[in-house]
Amino acid sequence: METSNNKRVTLPVEVGIDKVVQEMINKWGADAIRNSDGTELSKELMDMAVKVYTTYLTIRNDQAFARGHMDQLQMQYLMSKHNIALSNVLEIHILDGYFNRQFEIDKEHDWKRYWEVVDRTTGEVVDNKLWEFNEVKKTVIINGAKKWHRYTVSFLARQIWDTTHMYNHLTNNWTTPQHVAYDAFHKETREHIFSYLENWLRDNPSVDVVRFTTFFYHFTIAYNDKAKEKYVDWFGYSASVSPEAIDEFERVRGYKLRAEDFVDEGYYNSPFRIPSKNFLDWMDFIQQFVTENARKLVDLCHENGKEAMMFLGDNWIGTEPYGAYFKNIGLDAVVGSVGSGATLRMIADIPHVKYTEGRFLPYFFPDTFHEGGNPTKEAVENWVQARRAILRNPVDRMGYGGYLSLALKFPDFVDKVAEITEEFREIHNRIQGTKPYTPKFKVAILNAWGKLRSWQTNMVAHALWYKKIYSYVGVIECLSGMPVDVEFISFEDIKKKGISSDIGVIINAGDAGTAWSGGNYWLDEQVTGKIREWVYNGGGFIGIGEPTAYLHQGRYFQLADVLGVDREVGFTLSYTRHDEEFQGKHFILEDKEKDIDFGEGMSDIYRVLDNATILSMNRGDINLSVNEFGRGRAVYISGLPYTPENVRILYRAIYWSASKEKEIYNWYTSNNNTECSAYPEAGNAAIINNSNQVQNTTIYVDKDNYKDIELKPYEIKWMTI
Amino acid sequence: METSNNKRVTLPVEVGIDKVVQEMINKWGADAIRNSDGTELSKELMDMAVKVYTTYLTIRNDQAFARGHMDQLQMQYLMSKHNIALSNVLEIHILDGYFNRQFEIDKEHDWKRYWEVVDRTTGEVVDNKLWEFNEVKKTVIINGAKKWHRYTVSFLARQIWDTTHMYNHLTNNWTTPQHVAYDAFHKETREHIFSYLENWLRDNPSVDVVRFTTFFYHFTIAYNDKAKEKYVDWFGYSASVSPEAIDEFERVRGYKLRAEDFVDEGYYNSPFRIPSKNFLDWMDFIQQFVTENARKLVDLCHENGKEAMMFLGDNWIGTEPYGAYFKNIGLDAVVGSVGSGATLRMIADIPHVKYTEGRFLPYFFPDTFHEGGNPTKEAVENWVQARRAILRNPVDRMGYGGYLSLALKFPDFVDKVAEITEEFREIHNRIQGTKPYTPKFKVAILNAWGKLRSWQTNMVAHALWYKKIYSYVGVIECLSGMPVDVEFISFEDIKKKGISSDIGVIINAGDAGTAWSGGNYWLDEQVTGKIREWVYNGGGFIGIGEPTAYLHQGRYFQLADVLGVDREVGFTLSYTRHDEEFQGKHFILEDKEKDIDFGEGMSDIYRVLDNATILSMNRGDINLSVNEFGRGRAVYISGLPYTPENVRILYRAIYWSASKEKEIYNWYTSNNNTECSAYPEAGNAAIINNSNQVQNTTIYVDKDNYKDIELKPYEIKWMTI
């Protein structure tokens, strides 16, 4: 009984509450229902006149097969703890510190071929003849170890518990038997995966959308010996490995990867690392494998008249939506979790799909939906933070996840979501698929990853808050809802193609040495030269945290001459500081009403050029400064967590550095808590209040045309233009 | 009219107030008088029955000679600003940003031989054929510069204003004509210096002590184009240079130094830099030259029946009192400014002299001695901070500096100094030259400089407060008055000689990459190996700030295995932190009464070993933790400014890491604001109150023998033992 108003919304459902489900479909205007991992759809539910999504777990839905093919389970490359040699014989318990229900040492393959013992004092690999693996004791014994050196063993482990299943077990107290995941790299497994899907598609005619969660390889998660998370890397490739894949890589790429290429000193190629050539080659290899075979699954769906949707999470490794091979998968849709504006854009901006869908928070889980919990507040805050990004580029659909029965206990929440879904549809009706107004210049985020990690810069786990990163993640969060076009570019892009003429401002934000700041890319004369030239000729450069940082030839910030500031590492303390805060007015600070929140900030930033202007200092350290370089301009900011005020600081810094101050009044609002998105082609403009207070703001069509309006808490107001 | 009570004190005097001087001699118990730079002693003053010191300015007291030998003035190596090449021709104004009354470009020597043009983008020296110096425009023109590279010019400049003279002019508003300083490296100048002193000694029979201020080369000071300090390095050798010396160095050492060896990327071999071999060779060369020729001056004094005293400051370069050649000078005494406990020890611990003297604060200058000023408070605080160090190893004499007439305007101050001088003599009477009680083990400070920079670690300018260093200087300040024997050792010491068996605790404190932390010394397997072995066998290791830091093979702290903690640089954010503060009692914190002041602290310290115990955390970052390694122990502290509470934290950390907890009660006080120094041979013990409040404390002779006492503000109480 879908009405004409039912669209763009997906409802998570459970069996046993069919009647309520129907009510909820009407209430939220849903046109699709879905199950979650661990819940089932009944025939009755599937027969309701809405689109039906079903979660499909490619590599573990046939546990009978899995148990019969334990030699084809997924693996991970692991590194042992660091061990100090107290004598010339050192015995290392290689699994020490890992969770023995998750991992089992791989004893089936030639460990001398795939493992490595490394002297971490020198970085040298220990000669294979000097160590032995004791299968009974599960130890590696090094003979001829150098006393007081530290050693690690890198080895392959079979994953005897599927990562997501384990997570849910340990987090949500599941009690089902331990599921294992098979590796599609094995031909037999791969063929089984295809035939199993074929059968499943035939057996599930009511399903309209196969929601793959996801394809073949889970991101890296390892648990410790206390059954707690040891490390988690949402971008990690450590679980995409097997001896067979490594051998195949050698065959097609012409060289053999080392264990170290995966283990990476224990950093496991974290996205904060500047990626090595070998790791990039491996990613490319896995991406080709994953996309080729995912394509076959998608084709099967299509052949059976169903859509194929990918969940951007769990086993998403190799499918990177901004990567070179993603389009080959031929997906109809991608759905992903929306934790913020940046994650909204991460989904909404995905190319080569018919539609995108955001799964909004909170999950209908007991951590929020318990007595005393306030899911309504969470839902509103999540919605409002995402809304400003939606106004820049909307996901096509929205939905929620978890147990509907839990949500139903909070009528207040149910009503609020009805409002939100209505507001979401209204946005689509007003925008009509047109592009919002943006200035003519683009803003580029520059780092070692570029486009591949669009809207994923400086992130550790997906959208989680970390003390060390929130002052950088704030940058993309601010940008996610800002009226500017954003592009993610890499140092290699600049080296190969230069800086595209439509870019007006480049932002480099991150800690020294990370892929986000750029590390030794800043020693590359091509990189520094092309950026200097571009800024000198009028470009804008914004550095946040430790931009352009690499200690070399008297400078820590290699573009200190552009930025006007540098960071003290101790070697220039003998230079007397004469830094003083500028006392005049500056364009960037025109809307400033209170002290700026620089988040963690950055200590010991000082001025190296007399002409640089310091806009904010604290205890002698610069937090915000500007400098001119030729006809171009640069801004330094010590950190930029997401706040309404910081959106404004960055917005103004962008216009100032691009030397486009005069144009800022196009669709501008005077009040920091409000923003405007205009859709000239659709003849509409939205003014939003991001705060929980009534706000008065002047809305500018341009410098000379404006009017005052009042917005209720969190209100969105539309005006015809 | 010296009485028997007049001793150990030197009074600064001025002409014209002779009668008052005599009163002051009696009041403060002075047995010596002195003039200062810029003041003279009258015959009347010199005839008073006390010892007479006269300031002697070796390299500038004959300005007539100086003006006649402008080709023999002192020089400095300077580096131009960084300049970006906008085209293939780059013109650099090399003196730009320097003070033109201080420096003049040296045009007399072959600039192609002594200067260097460096491409700072690549680090390469520009071929001499590609640049020219324009003597008229004072510019270097590079032809064939690489566009967008940055360039600097390193060049020699004559110092046309003596550094100290210039400083006093610009700081104290002197108006005398600009003095210049001649360079003893020139034979003619050197011989003039000797003969001038000979004459002077003959002409000044009333002088008892020639107070050299100092010998030949001033520490580095350069002013900027606004006549303000540009950089100042109390340890700097940039003004010890001349083409003649560089040529001689090449002759005797067999290789030519580059301009870069002095300019050092613009860091000018700051003591925070790990010294290069070439710079160490240069220091050695200059030290030999300075000490050999200073010896000749000292001999002349002795031949004339006078003592030779050196002021540890101004032109002290090459005389390093803890260096290999210092003893060769044959000095009778060293006098130095006492800004703290550490600077007191810097003077008091000097070997190879008959006596040492501390010049206490405040100077009798108008900056303190003005209406509304409180010189008494400054004097007391300076005295009390120094007193705890004096009790460990007293300077033999004390004195003040500046204009006595100014001090006389503050009778309160005059009375207080009378008390201080009396207390100082009492200390000497009680100690009787004996060694205070210390535990059997020594504490070693480990860095790249070792003994040479005893009590000078992590210092920028002499005893000045800098935000970046006070959390490290606090370590030696705490130690300066602590009942432990302190030794300063270098990485080379450890490599060559191992760790001396009398060392119980090693402290490594500093920022990563600096000489104080050690930089790439931590890649040396000898260094890490010998320290690991030593700790494993029972040694104590205390790391402060970024100890053992060098990013290598998966660890930032190379002794993370010993310390139990490491610093997050961004690559291990994927590791889940389970760090929690220890809730039990710990020996180190037993006297803790309030939150510990970690100064600037250190962000992002986390636990890498499960066994490490976290004693203090803030926002997830560890500030204080302990770990056991074999039979040894390690303590990590994020920063340790000098406070009475931190003295106690460090003291307890030392005893804990040395595994000597039981022995701490030997001459112990229960109250953090009080300390005890015992002199078993002399049969005395001092208990001091370092605070301006009444304090009650239990004084322990040992664990089982103690009594309670009360101390008045700042009181010192003696007990017979």
Side-chain angles (χ1 to χ4, degrees):
Chain A
M1 279 149 305
E2 188 182 354
T3 72
S4 59
N5 284 332
N6 283 41
K7 52 185 173 186
R8 298 195 180 277
V9 172
T10 306
L11 184 75
V13 300
E14 290 167 69
V15 290
I17 53 166
D18 301 3
K19 192 155 163 237
V20 194
V21 166
Q22 188 60 61
E23 274 170 36
M24 288 302 298
I25 286 173
N26 293 334
K27 179 130 192 150
W28 289 358
D31 58 349
I33 60 172
R34 58 164 289 228
N35 71 337
S36 304
D37 186 8
T39 64
E40 296 294 328
L41 291 176
S42 67
K43 190 171 172 311
E44 290 68 27
L45 283 174
M46 291 202 275
D47 289 344
M48 289 179 184
V50 290
K51 223 167 167 180
V52 173
Y53 299 6
T54 298
T55 297
Y56 190 89
L57 307 168
T58 319
I59 44 81
R60 65 176 166 105
N61 41 13
D62 187 359
Q63 285 299 305
F65 174 83
R67 293 289 162 190
H69 298 80
M70 293 295 276
D71 59 323
Q72 298 182 23
L73 293 195
Q74 300 212 347
M75 292 195 178
Q76 267 195 48
Y77 248 121
L78 301 179
M79 191 184 82
S80 75
K81 287 184 176 175
H82 295 252
N83 293 267
I84 306 294
L86 304 178
S87 75
N88 295 124
V89 178
L90 174 61
E91 182 168 12
I92 299 176
H93 291 265
I94 60 176
L95 255 189
D96 195 20
Y98 288 99
F99 185 35
N100 60 11
R101 290 179 66 193
Q102 184 184 11
F103 297 117
E104 200 170 79
I105 298 165
D106 171 37
K107 300 172 183 171
E108 307 307 314
H109 297 87
D110 178 5
W111 46 78
K112 296 265 171 158
R113 176 168 169 80
Y114 299 104
W115 299 11
E116 264 180 357
V117 180
V118 179
D119 179 341
R120 295 291 175 190
T121 292
T122 62
E124 288 161 9
V125 179
V126 174
D127 189 326
N128 271 349
K129 297 190 200 81
L130 294 180
W131 61 270
E132 286 306 328
F133 173 55
N134 184 320
E135 293 184 59
V136 180
K137 294 173 73 183
K138 299 177 184 171
T139 59
V140 161
I141 297 115
I142 309 171
N143 291 297
K146 291 177 185 158
K147 271 182 82 170
W148 309 110
H149 282 216
R150 66 186 155 98
Y151 291 89
T152 62
V153 180
S154 306
F155 61 101
L156 282 167
R158 296 195 311 151
Q159 300 191 101
I160 55 172
W161 198 347
D162 171 76
T163 311
T164 304
H165 198 261
M166 175 183 73
Y167 172 86
N168 275 312
H169 248 262
L170 300 173
T171 308
N172 296 329
N173 301 311
W174 287 7
T175 53
T176 49
Q178 208 160 310
H179 281 195
V180 289
Y182 27 89
D183 183 351
F185 211 87
H186 301 281
K187 189 155 181 283
E188 187 184 1
T189 291
R190 195 159 64 240
E191 284 171 357
H192 177 73
I193 286 172
F194 296 137
S195 64
Y196 193 87
L197 177 62
E198 274 190 278
N199 293 332
W200 186 90
L201 290 167
R202 243 190 340 262
D203 294 349
N204 288 274
S206 311
V207 170
D208 301 296
V209 181
V210 184
R211 184 182 178 281
F212 289 98
T213 307
T214 309
F215 293 112
F216 304 115
Y217 297 113
H218 203 283
F219 60 86
T220 309
I221 291 190
Y223 270 52
N224 69 17
D225 49 4
K226 295 173 190 75
K228 299 283 179 202
E229 202 175 80
K230 184 183 176 76
Y231 56 79
V232 54
D233 178 1
W234 193 63
F235 304 92
Y237 270 65
S238 295
S240 70
V241 295
S242 62
E244 292 72 15
I246 291 166
D247 291 350
E248 175 67 8
F249 177 94
E250 184 177 358
R251 204 182 60 74
V252 298
R253 303 275 168 154
Y255 73 98
K256 182 175 181 293
L257 289 174
R258 290 176 47 191
E260 186 68 3
D261 290 319
F262 298 96
V263 156
D264 180 30
E265 303 181 9
Y267 301 133
Y268 299 102
N269 300 298
S270 150
F272 283 68
R273 297 278 282 172
I274 293 171
S276 66
K277 182 198 159 289
N278 290 7
F279 180 58
L280 288 173
D281 281 354
W282 178 258
M283 286 180 70
D284 189 82
F285 174 77
I286 290 296
Q287 284 173 14
Q288 282 194 27
F289 172 79
V290 165
T291 54
E292 269 169 31
N293 288 288
R295 172 58 177 248
K296 292 177 188 163
L297 299 174
V298 169
D299 284 347
L300 286 173
C301 296
H302 289 170
E303 285 162 20
N304 284 273
K306 298 184 196 311
E307 287 185 343
M309 173 183 271
M310 169 178 122
F311 174 61
L312 185 64
D314 292 5
N315 299 57
W316 75 294
I317 293 305
T319 71
E320 280 82 347
Y322 298 97
Y325 306 106
F326 175 75
K327 65 174 176 300
N328 300 347
I329 307 179
L331 283 164
D332 298 283
V334 173
V335 59
S337 173
V338 176
S340 60
T343 46
L344 184 290
R345 290 294 294 274
M346 186 196 302
I347 301 156
D349 286 17
I350 291 174
H352 313 301
V353 289
K354 294 192 194 117
Y355 62 95
T356 57
E357 179 168 324
R359 196 181 61 192
F360 284 68
L361 299 181
Y363 269 72
F364 306 164
F365 278 161
D367 56 348
T368 303
F369 289 83
H370 59 81
E371 210 167 324
N374 193 345
T376 308
K377 183 165 179 284
E378 275 191 47
V380 170
E381 287 172 358
N382 179 247
W383 166 249
V384 169
Q385 193 172 339
R387 185 178 62 185
R388 51 190 293 277
I390 290 174
L391 287 169
R392 305 315 309 166
N393 185 18
V395 284
D396 297 285
R397 303 180 51 80
M398 67 179 293
Y400 288 88
Y403 305 105
L404 184 59
S405 54
L406 278 176
L408 295 173
K409 295 178 186 164
F410 292 76
D412 190 52
F413 173 80
V414 171
D415 290 346
K416 183 53 74 179
V417 171
E419 279 176 40
I420 288 171
T421 53
E422 196 52 36
E423 192 170 299
F424 176 68
R425 281 184 289 266
E426 169 80 357
I427 289 171
H428 274 282
N429 292 340
R430 293 279 193 168
I431 293 183
Q432 295 169 34
T434 65
K435 187 179 176 305
Y437 169 80
T438 52
K440 289 197 183 70
F441 60 89
K442 278 187 185 169
V443 174
I445 302 272
L446 170 64
N447 58 52
W449 288 106
K451 191 179 168 196
L452 185 74
R453 298 282 181 236
S454 294
W455 301 107
Q456 297 158 13
T457 58
N458 276 294
M459 273 187 196
V460 182
H462 181 280
L464 280 192
W465 187 94
Y466 283 73
K467 173 167 169 286
K468 185 100 176 147
I469 61 167
Y470 76 98
S471 311
Y472 295 125
V473 172
V475 177
I476 53 167
E477 187 62 19
C478 288
L479 287 171
S480 71
M482 199 182 277
V484 290
D485 290 321
V486 180
E487 200 177 326
F488 294 81
I489 64 171
S490 73
F491 297 103
E492 294 294 338
D493 290 340
I494 287 186
K495 289 177 67 171
K496 282 176 199 145
K497 301 181 288 186
I499 299 165
S500 164
S501 62
D502 57 358
I503 292 174
V505 177
I506 291 175
I507 297 178
N508 180 236
D511 279 339
T514 64
W516 316 120
S517 171
N520 60 7
Y521 271 114
W522 292 110
L523 298 189
D524 190 313
E525 60 185 337
Q526 295 263 5
V527 171
T528 56
K530 286 182 177 175
I531 296 176
R532 276 201 186 102
E533 179 172 19
W534 175 81
V535 177
Y536 194 84
N537 289 319
F541 189 84
I542 300 179
I544 297 168
E546 294 184 294
T548 82
Y550 195 101
L551 189 66
H552 171 67
Q553 292 290 314
R555 291 286 189 246
Y556 187 57
F557 293 171
Q558 287 301 306
L559 292 187
D561 51 287
V562 173
L563 291 160
V565 298
D566 201 348
R567 186 168 187 215
E568 178 58 73
V569 297
F571 301 149
T572 52
L573 284 169
S574 295
Y575 282 77
T576 316
R577 306 275 186 255
H578 303 282
D579 296 354
E580 278 178 27
E581 207 170 276
F582 175 64
Q583 294 303 317
K585 290 187 178 204
H586 195 280
F587 177 81
I588 293 176
L589 301 181
E590 267 179 37
D591 296 340
K592 175 175 173 269
E593 286 177 347
K594 53 182 178 183
D595 283 348
I596 304 168
D597 177 3
F598 295 103
E600 296 302 294
M602 188 55 64
S603 63
D604 306 307
I605 302 295
Y606 68 98
R607 186 165 60 171
V608 289
L609 298 184
D610 292 345
N611 290 336
T613 302
I614 299 169
L615 299 184
S616 183
M617 274 177 90
N618 181 33
R619 299 183 65 226
D621 296 342
I622 295 171
N623 278 320
L624 176 61
S625 64
V626 296
N627 188 47
E628 310 211 350
F629 181 76
R631 281 178 285 126
R633 291 171 171 179
V635 180
Y636 174 80
I637 310 175
S638 66
L640 199 86
Y642 171 67
T643 68
E645 294 77 21
N646 283 347
V647 170
R648 196 55 65 98
I649 295 283
L650 182 60
Y651 191 51
R652 286 189 156 270
I654 287 168
Y655 270 82
W656 182 84
S657 62
S659 300
K660 301 287 186 194
E661 297 98 312
K662 289 184 185 154
E663 294 174 23
I664 203 169
Y665 283 95
N666 297 338
W667 302 109
Y668 187 77
T669 59
S670 63
N671 181 326
N672 288 345
N673 290 298
T674 65
E675 290 178 287
C676 173
S677 272
Y679 307 87
E681 291 171 58
N684 276 310
I687 304 105
I688 50 174
N689 176 359
N690 294 320
S691 81
N692 61 0
Q693 307 287 322
V694 170
Q695 299 290 346
N696 289 290
T697 188
T698 306
I699 160 77
Y700 289 84
V701 176
D702 56 41
K703 180 87 185 157
D704 304 314
N705 294 288
Y706 49 86
K707 68 171 179 181
D708 295 337
I709 62 168
E710 183 180 281
L711 292 158
K712 291 195 279 287
Y714 296 132
E715 187 181 1
I716 180 168
K717 212 166 221 168
W718 290 94
M719 64 188 246
T720 309
I721 62 175
Chain B
M1 277 152 302
E2 188 184 354
T3 72
S4 60
N5 283 332
N6 283 41
K7 53 184 172 186
R8 298 195 181 277
V9 172
T10 306
L11 184 75
V13 298
E14 291 167 68
V15 289
I17 52 168
D18 301 3
K19 196 162 160 226
V20 193
V21 167
Q22 188 59 61
E23 276 171 35
M24 288 302 299
I25 286 173
N26 293 334
K27 179 130 191 145
W28 288 357
D31 58 350
I33 59 171
R34 59 163 287 230
N35 71 338
S36 304
D37 185 7
T39 65
E40 295 296 329
L41 290 176
S42 68
K43 189 170 175 308
E44 290 67 27
L45 284 173
M46 290 202 277
D47 289 344
M48 289 180 183
V50 290
K51 223 166 167 179
V52 173
Y53 299 6
T54 298
T55 296
Y56 190 89
L57 306 169
T58 319
I59 44 81
R60 65 176 164 105
N61 41 14
D62 187 0
Q63 284 298 305
F65 175 83
R67 293 290 162 189
H69 298 82
M70 294 296 276
D71 60 323
Q72 298 181 23
L73 293 195
Q74 301 210 348
M75 293 195 178
Q76 268 196 47
Y77 249 120
L78 301 179
M79 191 184 82
S80 75
K81 287 184 176 174
H82 295 251
N83 293 266
I84 306 295
L86 305 177
S87 76
N88 296 125
V89 178
L90 175 61
E91 182 167 13
I92 299 177
H93 291 266
I94 61 177
L95 256 189
D96 195 19
Y98 288 100
F99 185 34
N100 60 12
R101 290 181 65 194
Q102 183 185 11
F103 297 118
E104 200 170 79
I105 298 165
D106 171 37
K107 300 171 183 171
E108 306 308 314
H109 298 87
D110 178 5
W111 46 78
K112 296 265 170 157
R113 176 168 169 81
Y114 300 104
W115 299 12
E116 264 180 356
V117 179
V118 179
D119 178 341
R120 295 292 174 189
T121 292
T122 62
E124 288 161 8
V125 178
V126 174
D127 189 327
N128 272 348
K129 296 192 200 79
L130 294 181
W131 61 269
E132 286 306 329
F133 173 54
N134 183 321
E135 293 184 59
V136 181
K137 293 173 73 183
K138 300 177 183 172
T139 59
V140 160
I141 298 116
I142 309 171
N143 291 296
K146 290 177 185 158
K147 271 181 84 171
W148 309 109
H149 282 217
R150 65 185 156 98
Y151 291 88
T152 62
V153 179
S154 306
F155 61 101
L156 281 167
R158 296 195 310 151
Q159 299 191 98
I160 54 171
W161 198 348
D162 171 76
T163 312
T164 304
H165 198 261
M166 175 184 72
Y167 172 85
N168 275 314
H169 249 263
L170 301 174
T171 310
N172 296 330
N173 301 312
W174 287 6
T175 52
T176 48
Q178 209 161 309
H179 282 195
V180 289
Y182 28 89
D183 183 352
F185 211 87
H186 300 281
K187 188 156 182 283
E188 187 185 0
T189 292
R190 195 159 64 239
E191 285 171 355
H192 179 73
I193 286 172
F194 297 137
S195 64
Y196 192 86
L197 177 63
E198 275 190 277
N199 292 332
W200 186 89
L201 290 167
R202 243 191 340 262
D203 294 348
N204 288 275
S206 311
V207 170
D208 301 296
V209 181
V210 184
R211 184 182 179 280
F212 289 98
T213 306
T214 311
F215 293 112
F216 304 115
Y217 297 113
H218 204 284
F219 61 85
T220 309
I221 291 190
Y223 270 52
N224 68 18
D225 49 5
K226 295 174 191 75
K228 299 282 179 202
E229 202 176 81
K230 184 184 177 77
Y231 56 79
V232 53
D233 179 1
W234 194 63
F235 304 91
Y237 270 65
S238 295
S240 69
V241 294
S242 63
E244 291 72 15
I246 292 166
D247 290 350
E248 176 66 8
F249 177 95
E250 184 176 357
R251 204 183 60 74
V252 298
R253 303 275 168 153
Y255 73 98
K256 181 174 182 296
L257 289 175
R258 290 176 48 191
E260 186 68 3
D261 291 319
F262 299 96
V263 155
D264 180 30
E265 303 182 10
Y267 301 134
Y268 298 102
N269 300 298
S270 150
F272 283 68
R273 297 278 283 172
I274 292 171
S276 65
K277 182 197 161 290
N278 291 8
F279 179 58
L280 288 172
D281 282 353
W282 179 257
M283 286 179 69
D284 190 82
F285 173 78
I286 289 296
Q287 286 172 13
Q288 281 195 29
F289 172 80
V290 165
T291 54
E292 269 170 30
N293 288 288
R295 172 58 177 248
K296 292 178 188 163
L297 299 175
V298 170
D299 285 348
L300 286 174
C301 295
H302 291 168
E303 284 162 20
N304 284 274
K306 299 184 196 311
E307 288 186 340
M309 172 183 272
M310 169 178 121
F311 174 63
L312 186 64
D314 292 5
N315 298 56
W316 75 295
I317 293 306
T319 70
E320 280 83 348
Y322 298 97
Y325 305 107
F326 175 74
K327 65 174 176 300
N328 301 346
I329 306 179
L331 283 164
D332 297 284
V334 173
V335 59
S337 173
V338 176
S340 60
T343 47
L344 184 288
R345 290 294 293 274
M346 187 196 299
I347 300 157
D349 286 18
I350 291 175
H352 313 302
V353 289
K354 296 193 192 114
Y355 62 96
T356 57
E357 179 167 325
R359 195 181 62 192
F360 284 68
L361 299 182
Y363 270 73
F364 307 164
F365 279 160
D367 56 349
T368 305
F369 290 82
H370 59 81
E371 210 167 323
N374 194 344
T376 307
K377 183 166 180 284
E378 275 192 46
V380 170
E381 287 173 359
N382 180 247
W383 166 249
V384 169
Q385 193 172 339
R387 185 178 63 185
R388 52 189 295 276
I390 289 174
L391 288 169
R392 304 316 307 165
N393 186 18
V395 284
D396 297 285
R397 304 179 50 80
M398 67 180 293
Y400 288 88
Y403 304 104
L404 184 59
S405 53
L406 278 177
L408 294 174
K409 294 179 186 161
F410 291 76
D412 191 53
F413 173 79
V414 170
D415 291 346
K416 183 54 74 179
V417 170
E419 280 176 38
I420 288 172
T421 53
E422 196 50 38
E423 192 170 300
F424 177 68
R425 281 184 289 265
E426 169 81 357
I427 289 171
H428 274 283
N429 292 339
R430 294 279 192 168
I431 293 183
Q432 296 167 35
T434 65
K435 187 178 177 305
Y437 169 81
T438 51
K440 289 197 182 69
F441 60 89
K442 279 188 186 167
V443 174
I445 302 272
L446 170 64
N447 57 51
W449 287 107
K451 191 179 167 197
L452 184 74
R453 298 282 181 236
S454 294
W455 301 107
Q456 297 159 14
T457 58
N458 276 294
M459 273 187 197
V460 182
H462 180 280
L464 280 193
W465 187 95
Y466 283 73
K467 173 168 170 284
K468 184 100 176 147
I469 61 168
Y470 76 98
S471 312
Y472 296 126
V473 172
V475 176
I476 53 166
E477 187 63 20
C478 288
L479 287 171
S480 70
M482 198 183 277
V484 291
D485 290 320
V486 180
E487 201 178 325
F488 293 81
I489 64 172
S490 73
F491 297 103
E492 294 294 340
D493 291 339
I494 288 186
K495 290 177 67 172
K496 284 177 198 146
K497 303 181 288 187
I499 299 165
S500 164
S501 62
D502 57 357
I503 292 174
V505 177
I506 291 176
I507 297 178
N508 179 236
D511 279 339
T514 64
W516 316 119
S517 172
N520 61 8
Y521 271 113
W522 292 110
L523 298 189
D524 190 312
E525 60 185 337
Q526 295 264 6
V527 171
T528 55
K530 287 182 176 174
I531 296 176
R532 276 199 186 103
E533 178 171 19
W534 175 82
V535 177
Y536 194 84
N537 290 321
F541 189 83
I542 300 179
I544 298 168
E546 294 184 294
T548 83
Y550 195 102
L551 189 68
H552 170 68
Q553 290 292 313
R555 290 284 188 250
Y556 186 57
F557 292 171
Q558 287 302 306
L559 293 186
D561 51 287
V562 173
L563 291 160
V565 297
D566 202 347
R567 186 168 187 216
E568 178 58 74
V569 296
F571 301 150
T572 53
L573 285 169
S574 296
Y575 281 78
T576 315
R577 307 276 186 255
H578 303 283
D579 296 354
E580 277 178 27
E581 208 170 275
F582 176 64
Q583 294 303 318
K585 291 191 176 196
H586 195 281
F587 177 81
I588 293 176
L589 300 182
E590 268 180 35
D591 296 340
K592 176 174 172 270
E593 286 178 348
K594 53 182 177 183
D595 283 350
I596 304 168
D597 177 3
F598 296 102
E600 295 302 295
M602 189 56 63
S603 63
D604 306 307
I605 302 296
Y606 69 97
R607 187 165 59 173
V608 289
L609 299 182
D610 291 346
N611 290 336
T613 303
I614 300 169
L615 300 183
S616 183
M617 275 177 91
N618 181 32
R619 298 182 67 226
D621 296 343
I622 294 171
N623 278 318
L624 177 61
S625 64
V626 297
N627 189 48
E628 309 210 352
F629 182 76
R631 282 178 283 127
R633 291 171 171 180
V635 179
Y636 174 80
I637 310 176
S638 66
L640 198 85
Y642 171 67
T643 68
E645 295 76 21
N646 282 348
V647 171
R648 196 55 66 99
I649 294 284
L650 183 59
Y651 191 52
R652 287 189 156 270
I654 287 169
Y655 270 83
W656 184 83
S657 62
S659 299
K660 301 287 186 195
E661 297 98 309
K662 288 183 185 155
E663 295 173 23
I664 202 168
Y665 284 96
N666 298 339
W667 303 109
Y668 187 76
T669 59
S670 62
N671 181 327
N672 288 345
N673 290 300
T674 65
E675 290 178 288
C676 173
S677 273
Y679 307 87
E681 291 171 57
N684 276 311
I687 306 106
I688 49 174
N689 176 359
N690 293 320
S691 81
N692 62 359
Q693 307 286 322
V694 170
Q695 299 290 347
N696 289 289
T697 189
T698 306
I699 160 77
Y700 288 84
V701 175
D702 56 41
K703 179 88 184 156
D704 303 316
N705 294 288
Y706 49 86
K707 68 170 177 179
D708 294 338
I709 62 167
E710 183 180 280
L711 292 158
K712 290 194 279 287
Y714 296 133
E715 188 181 0
I716 180 169
K717 213 166 220 169
W718 290 94
M719 63 189 249
T720 309
I721 62 176

